[in-house]
């Protein structure tokens, strides 16, 4: 079951505190940028949560849409973090940073294979994307009449920690791929993905945003010269 991503109400309704402080920014003009990036995250969360009801029988456009929304959250958060003074940010540590870094690698690999470079993704070897696979389609097994005849050894599952050869036929959707190295692109291979993993990436970036906000609330201007 896919859980809704936490909204930003507890941040957005606390103006002049936390991330809304002016003095913590690199320059005055960055305040409007911060507000714009925050709005981008907020709208993306709303769209992700609205999309959940459409994911029981997803189409390719829904799959791509969800991936892009999560990428927007990721990129907007990173933009926000770079707006703040380096001396202030040097003491900020996120308690789930290792988990976030895995999530970042995961969503970057998914984005590359699904959207940016489906025919030549080669920079994500942890997830099996080392230039071996070429993505030719994204679909579910629900509408594939041949799925019952697929050999289990041709089915992998892509999780946040990497690619698993487990023959899972219950993933939410699959990349239909060919492998030049394995069989000269003769047979389909299948890489399954789950929406809960993709939504988890959004969750952890939102969690880090809340932790950053709480950290910034505690910072005092007199402690920085």
């Amino acid at each position: 079951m896919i859980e809704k991503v936490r909204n930003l109400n507890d941040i957005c309704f606390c103006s002049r505190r936390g991330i809304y402080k002016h003095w913590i920014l690199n320059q005055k003009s960055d305040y409007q940028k911060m507000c714009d990036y925050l709005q981008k995250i907020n709208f993306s969360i709303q769209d992700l949560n609205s999309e959940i009801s459409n994911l029981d029988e997803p189409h390719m456009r829904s799959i791509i849409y969800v991936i892009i929304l999560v990428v927007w959250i990721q990129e907007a958060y990173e933009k926000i973090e770079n707006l703040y003074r380096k001396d202030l940010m040097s003491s900020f540590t996120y308690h789930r940073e290792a988990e976030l870094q895995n999530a970042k690698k995961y969503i970057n690999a998914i984005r590359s294979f699904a959207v940016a470079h489906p025919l030549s993704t080669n920079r994500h070897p942890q997830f099996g994307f080392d230039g071996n696979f070429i993505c030719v389609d994204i679909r579910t097994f629900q509408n594939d009449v041949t799925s019952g005849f697929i050999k289990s050894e041709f089915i992998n599952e892509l999780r946040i920690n990497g690619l698993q050869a487990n023959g899972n036929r219950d993933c939410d959707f699959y990349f239909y791929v060919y492998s030049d190295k394995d069989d000269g692109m003769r047979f389909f291979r299948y890489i399954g993905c789950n929406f809960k993993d993709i939504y988890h990436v959004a969750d952890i970036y939102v969690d880090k945003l809340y932790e950053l906000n709480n950290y910034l609330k505690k910072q005092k201007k007199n402690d920085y010269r």
Side-chain angles (χ1 to χ4, degrees), residues 161-194:
N161 292 325
L163 191 66
Q164 302 175 6
N166 59 14
N168 188 357
R169 296 174 180 271
D170 296 320
C171 294
D172 293 327
F173 64 91
Y174 293 82
F175 293 116
Y176 280 51
V177 306
Y178 283 118
S179 169
D180 189 22
K181 181 174 66 177
D182 295 341
D183 56 29
M185 299 180 68
R186 294 175 59 200
F187 305 106
F188 268 130
R189 308 277 173 149
Y190 308 87
I191 300 177
C193 300
N194 293 293

Side-chain angles (χ1 to χ4, degrees), residues 4-61:
K4 288 187 175 183
V5 180
R6 181 183 182 183
N7 64 47
L8 299 186
N9 289 351
D10 291 339
I11 292 178
C12 293
F13 296 153
C14 294
S15 60
R16 300 178 183 272
R17 299 176 62 192
I19 65 174
Y20 286 100
K21 293 177 179 178
H22 287 261
W23 69 267
I24 62 179
L25 295 161
N26 288 318
Q27 51 191 13
K28 291 182 179 180
S29 60
D30 287 339
Y31 182 80
Q32 189 57 52
K33 291 180 183 178
M34 184 278 298
C35 292
D36 291 343
Y37 296 145
L38 196 64
Q39 187 177 56
K40 183 69 170 179
I41 293 174
N42 204 25
F43 286 163
S44 296
I45 291 171
Q46 293 173 19
D47 291 340
L48 277 172
N49 291 339
S50 296
E51 194 64 23
I52 291 175
S53 61
N54 299 324
L55 299 181
D56 288 337
E57 296 182 7
H59 298 283
M60 184 190 294
R61 59 180 177 271

Side-chain angles (χ1 to χ4, degrees), residues 1 21 55 59 64-65 68 77 105 111 119 121 134 139 144 169 177 196 199 206 216:
M1 181 177 178
K21 293 177 179 178
L55 299 181
H59 298 283
I64 298 297
Y65 182 47
I68 292 300
Y77 172 83
K105 292 175 183 176
R111 179 199 62 81
L119 304 183
T121 294
I134 293 174
R139 66 174 86 161
D144 189 340
R169 296 174 180 271
V177 306
K196 66 179 182 180
Y199 273 69
V206 171
L216 294 174

Side-chain angles (χ1 to χ4, degrees), residues 121-178:
T121 294
N122 57 15
R123 297 181 180 179
H124 308 277
Q126 176 184 351
F127 301 96
F129 301 150
D130 57 0
N132 181 33
F133 294 125
I134 293 174
C135 180
V136 296
D137 202 0
I138 307 172
R139 66 174 86 161
T140 68
F141 279 171
Q142 295 172 341
N143 298 320
D144 189 340
V145 295
T146 68
S147 62
F149 303 97
I150 298 172
K151 295 181 179 180
S152 294
E153 58 263 34
F154 287 170
I155 304 174
N156 295 322
E157 183 179 1
L158 190 63
R159 302 300 304 272
I160 284 183
N161 292 325
L163 191 66
Q164 302 175 6
N166 59 14
N168 188 357
R169 296 174 180 271
D170 296 320
C171 294
D172 293 327
F173 64 91
Y174 293 82
F175 293 116
Y176 280 51
V177 306
Y178 283 118

